[in-house]
């Protein structure tokens, strides 16, 4: 299920240092949070890291849509993604 995929993805990202967590929303969508970015300095120099992350999340969670809502490099305190089935 999508919830199982998000649980596994958040666990992997947490193990990589992203302090990731997820939660289900009342409308059936999910939120994925990365509360820390261990590669922030590299990502500031190369936005390709962030673009690649979003592409990867979209591939892993397909057919769900993945939209970035918050972005550390844009001044947010964390990166946050909305994940929803069509």
């Amino acid at each position: 299920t999508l919830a199982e995929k998000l649980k596994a993805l958040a666990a992997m990202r947490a193990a990589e240092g992203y302090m990731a967590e997820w939660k289900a929303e009342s409308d059936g969508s999910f939120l994925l949070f990365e509360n820390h970015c261990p590669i922030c300095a590299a990502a500031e120099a190369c936005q390709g890291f962030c673009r690649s992350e979003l592409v990867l999340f979209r591939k892993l969670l397909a057919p769900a849509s993945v939209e970035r809502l918050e972005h550390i490099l844009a001044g947010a305190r964390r990166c946050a993604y909305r994940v929803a089935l069509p």
Side-chain angles (χ1 to χ4, degrees):
T1 67
L2 183 55
E4 291 169 330
K5 287 181 181 182
L6 278 165
K7 181 180 178 180
L9 178 58
M12 285 186 271
R13 299 300 279 177
E16 295 170 342
Y18 288 87
M19 296 174 56
E21 58 187 336
W22 68 282
K23 72 174 191 171
E25 294 286 89
S26 61
D27 65 359
S29 67
F30 299 90
L31 295 175
L32 173 66
F33 304 106
E34 292 181 329
N35 295 297
H36 176 71
C37 182
I39 64 161
C40 196
E44 285 177 346
C46 178
Q47 288 285 313
F49 288 116
C50 297
R51 283 190 298 274
S52 294
E53 177 183 72
L54 186 55
V55 168
L56 176 65
F57 289 172
R58 286 176 174 157
K59 286 181 181 178
L60 289 172
L61 300 172
S65 64
V66 180
E67 172 189 9
R68 183 183 288 128
L69 303 175
E70 299 175 39
H71 194 204
I72 292 172
L73 294 184
R77 70 172 187 85
R78 64 185 178 189
C79 289
Y81 302 87
R82 181 176 183 275
V83 181
L85 288 170

